[in-house]
Amino acid sequence: MDYYLNKRNRVDSFNDPKYQSIYLHSNSCVDEITLYFNESKDDFKMLAKGCAIFLSSCEIFVEIIKKLGFENKTLLINLYTKLINKEYLDEQQKQMLDKLNVYKNVSKHLNRKECALMIAKVFLKI
């Protein structure tokens, strides 16, 4: 709930020509995001609205990308997708996911699975 209630990378408005952006919206609910990123891909801003699972997963995912470095995005996306899909992860992989492990049971509610995975889809487009 902390990541849902307290913005870290979410902004109310953003306009900086030095940043590129990607927009994505859910086909099944109101979740939507415009992710802004600088050329070096080490700073991200988000205009986002949606449910608690969506917004908090976006915040945590961006926090971890910043920590691991953008060059590890594919690894993080793959591990996170495995977690959401209830696939086996060893302890080292779970450690890499850090706070994203809170979503390990999100697939019990299939309609929330998309909410949790939308941020991974955005980063796949970068």
Side-chain angles (χ1 to χ4, degrees):
M1 286 304 291
D2 178 44
Y3 282 87
Y4 169 65
L5 295 172
N6 300 302
K7 297 176 182 180
R8 286 141 171 99
N9 298 289
R10 284 182 286 153
V11 293
D12 295 324
S13 65
F14 191 76
N15 186 13
D16 187 333
K18 296 176 189 166
Y19 283 68
Q20 297 177 43
S21 67
I22 293 186
Y23 173 80
L24 188 66
H25 66 90
S26 172
N27 294 324
S28 61
C29 65
V30 300
D31 295 343
E32 70 177 350
I33 183 172
T34 303
L35 180 71
Y36 296 91
F37 54 95
N38 62 359
E39 186 177 326
S40 59
K41 297 175 186 79
D42 62 358
D43 188 36
F44 303 92
K45 306 289 183 214
M46 299 179 283
L47 286 174
K49 68 177 182 178
C51 69
I53 290 172
F54 170 65
L55 294 175
S56 62
S57 65
C58 289
E59 289 282 11
I60 296 170
F61 196 95
V62 167
E63 181 178 278
I64 294 172
I65 281 285
K66 286 179 172 181
K67 184 172 79 173
L68 294 177
F70 186 79
E71 64 276 6
N72 291 306
K73 80 163 182 150
T74 303
L75 174 60
L76 183 60
I77 290 167
N78 290 339
L79 292 177
Y80 185 52
T81 302
K82 281 184 172 186
L83 175 81
I84 298 299
N85 289 323
K86 306 291 276 177
E87 296 176 32
Y88 174 77
L89 295 171
D90 65 30
E91 286 306 312
Q92 183 179 6
Q93 293 169 322
K94 288 177 187 176
Q95 282 183 333
M96 184 174 280
L97 287 172
D98 196 13
K99 295 174 185 172
L100 287 170
N101 283 295
V102 74
Y103 303 103
K104 69 181 176 185
N105 291 319
V106 79
S107 64
K108 288 182 179 181
H109 305 282
L110 293 178
N111 58 330
R112 295 295 182 206
K113 191 174 176 179
E114 183 178 345
C115 303
L117 285 173
M118 265 186 65
I119 189 63
K121 290 176 185 178
V122 171
F123 272 90
L124 278 174
K125 292 181 169 211
I126 300 177

